Amino acid sequence: MKSYLLSTVLAASLGAIALSYISYYICRRKHLQKPPKNAKWEFVGTLEEIVIYPVTSAAPLLLNEVQCKIDGLYSEDLRDRCLVLIDENGKYAFAGVYPKMLSITTEVGYKNTLVVKAPEMESLTINLDSLKMKHPIVKHKQGCKSHLVEGEQEHHEWFSKVIMNKSQGLKLFLIINTEFEYNLMGEDKSEFIPVMVMNNKSVNDLNKRLTTDDRVHHLQFRGNVLIDTLENVKPYAEDNWSWIRIGEEKENAAKNCILRYHAPCLRCILPNVDIKTCKRNPNFEPLNTLKKYRLIHNKKEPTMGAYYKVYQEGSFKTKDPVYAIIT
């Protein structure tokens, strides 16, 4: 009897989550601005690299192909930034505060498992399907309402040991679903942005301004999509791409992924942490240099890259052509 009741409650919970996702999708498409009918799509380059971060603030996972859905990038059932760590005060752990988070790497395992590794630690296998069977809790943050399920005790201990060198202090959660809040005008007011896009020339231009010792890898900016742009495309051109279309198909083809510019990516201290050594740059670079010429959207935080929301779902792979509507 208890098993039956548990199954019924779980089914109802998952059904409610699915319904909220569908409702959001319908509402979102109703209010979301459409691409201009007569605007010209210009070929700007090809897709050089695709990256997701299964564990938020941990090391990147490079992929050759992804599915792009309303709530972000997916590799099969594995969603970008689907796992988060929360401290004893209820705050999300962040690599800017805990640089050792960047030493945590991930691999896609067998039957929807994620294999997590860190230096001098035995690997940890997380069964995502098993976690999804748990009853979710709700957490609000920046215009989003997330449904999360708590990981196992062994997960908490493993991550606490790697990041804090303690047996406890952090807990692992799997984000099952995220709902987005709207204002009275029907506008999405959340700060949850699925895809961060960067132009390779932007990083190259920045590195020309830095000393040899301070030069950075583009992954220190934690983008999802890196575009190898044409010769005539200037650095930071992504600031002026109002729409992006990825793939060979025609504009309205179902398989085409279309992204809408949402906001500039304002930079915090995290790019100052070297992704290889997990140490902060002693010269506070590249942030110091960026502040000298990229304070174009904010007086304190420089811009590097751009956030895009998904207008039309699809899939894409490396070497796919990229088109943009330029404002």
Side-chain angles (χ1 to χ4, degrees):
M1 184 64 176
K2 288 184 179 180
S3 177
Y4 172 77
L5 290 174
L6 181 60
S7 299
T8 303
V9 171
L10 181 60
S13 299
L14 294 176
I17 292 171
L19 182 60
S20 69
Y21 179 89
I22 294 170
S23 299
Y24 164 73
Y25 182 85
I26 294 171
C27 184
R28 182 181 184 280
R29 289 307 296 265
K30 178 180 178 181
H31 295 287
L32 190 60
Q33 176 188 353
K34 297 180 180 179
K37 289 184 178 180
N38 299 321
K40 181 182 179 182
W41 289 94
E42 297 188 26
F43 176 54
V44 293
T46 57
L47 202 54
E48 180 176 339
E49 194 169 86
I50 305 169
V51 183
I52 66 171
Y53 305 84
V55 180
T56 303
S57 262
L61 175 62
L62 275 65
L63 299 169
N64 292 321
E65 185 174 3
V66 289
Q67 299 83 46
C68 186
K69 301 182 182 180
I70 292 300
D71 58 339
L73 302 184
Y74 281 78
S75 176
E76 301 297 336
D77 291 329
L78 181 65
R79 183 173 66 81
D80 181 35
R81 296 174 171 89
C82 63
L83 290 162
V84 295
L85 292 157
I86 299 179
D87 66 18
E88 294 174 332
N89 296 317
K91 295 182 178 180
Y92 289 91
F94 165 56
V97 177
Y98 302 106
K100 288 183 69 176
M101 293 183 73
L102 294 173
S103 69
I104 300 171
T105 61
T106 54
E107 296 176 3
V108 178
Y110 181 64
K111 288 188 176 180
N112 204 27
T113 60
L114 186 70
V115 180
V116 188
K117 298 181 179 181
E120 300 179 4
M121 290 285 290
E122 290 188 10
S123 62
L124 175 71
T125 299
I126 302 172
N127 189 319
L128 301 176
D129 286 338
S130 177
L131 290 184
K132 290 176 183 178
M133 296 301 291
K134 291 187 171 186
H135 187 74
I137 62 171
V138 176
K139 188 173 179 65
H140 294 265
K141 182 187 179 185
Q142 298 175 331
C144 300
K145 182 170 73 173
S146 297
H147 297 83
L148 307 92
V149 292
E150 185 176 336
E152 306 295 346
Q153 184 61 33
E154 64 171 325
H155 303 157
H156 306 333
E157 292 176 358
W158 192 92
F159 283 99
S160 296
K161 178 65 176 177
V162 171
I163 298 168
M164 304 178 73
N165 200 26
K166 298 179 180 179
S167 61
Q168 59 184 10
L170 296 172
K171 289 186 176 182
L172 181 72
F173 288 83
L174 172 66
I175 301 176
I176 299 294
N177 168 269
T178 300
E179 296 178 35
F180 305 81
E181 299 175 0
Y182 287 84
N183 60 24
L184 295 176
M185 297 299 293
E187 297 170 333
D188 179 358
K189 64 177 184 177
S190 72
E191 295 185 17
F192 178 84
I193 316 297
V195 184
M196 206 284 273
V197 175
M198 293 189 67
N199 163 13
N200 63 341
K201 286 194 177 68
S202 303
V203 184
N204 293 341
D205 181 75
L206 169 63
N207 278 327
K208 290 177 183 177
R209 301 167 187 265
L210 297 169
T211 65
T212 302
D213 291 339
D214 291 332
R215 287 175 184 169
V216 296
H217 192 282
H218 70 87
L219 286 176
Q220 285 179 221
F221 296 99
R222 303 186 70 76
N224 292 115
V225 170
L226 181 70
I227 300 173
D228 181 12
T229 51
L230 301 178
E231 289 187 9
N232 64 329
V233 176
K234 296 180 180 180
Y236 318 106
E238 61 271 35
D239 293 345
N240 301 310
W241 295 339
S242 56
W243 294 85
I244 292 177
R245 178 163 57 88
I246 305 175
E248 293 282 6
E249 302 295 332
K250 294 181 180 180
E251 181 178 341
N252 295 319
K255 292 183 179 180
N256 236 186
C257 179
I258 299 178
L259 308 175
R260 178 177 65 89
Y261 180 91
H262 179 77
C265 187
L266 302 179
R267 291 302 172 175
C268 62
I269 61 172
L270 186 52
N272 289 346
V273 181
D274 189 295
I275 58 172
K276 294 181 179 179
T277 65
C278 300
K279 294 181 179 180
R280 296 185 179 91
N281 183 287
N283 300 319
F284 211 69
E285 294 289 8
L287 206 58
N288 267 347
T289 296
L290 282 171
K291 285 182 176 181
K292 294 177 181 178
Y293 73 106
R294 290 292 290 168
L295 292 174
I296 57 177
H297 297 102
N298 186 286
K299 293 181 179 180
K300 295 182 179 180
E301 297 177 315
T303 298
M304 189 67 166
Y307 284 124
Y308 286 78
K309 289 194 174 183
V310 180
Y311 172 78
Q312 181 169 289
E313 295 181 336
S315 60
F316 51 78
K317 59 185 182 301
T318 53
K319 305 301 180 184
D320 273 352
V322 181
Y323 301 85
I325 295 177
I326 302 172
T327 55

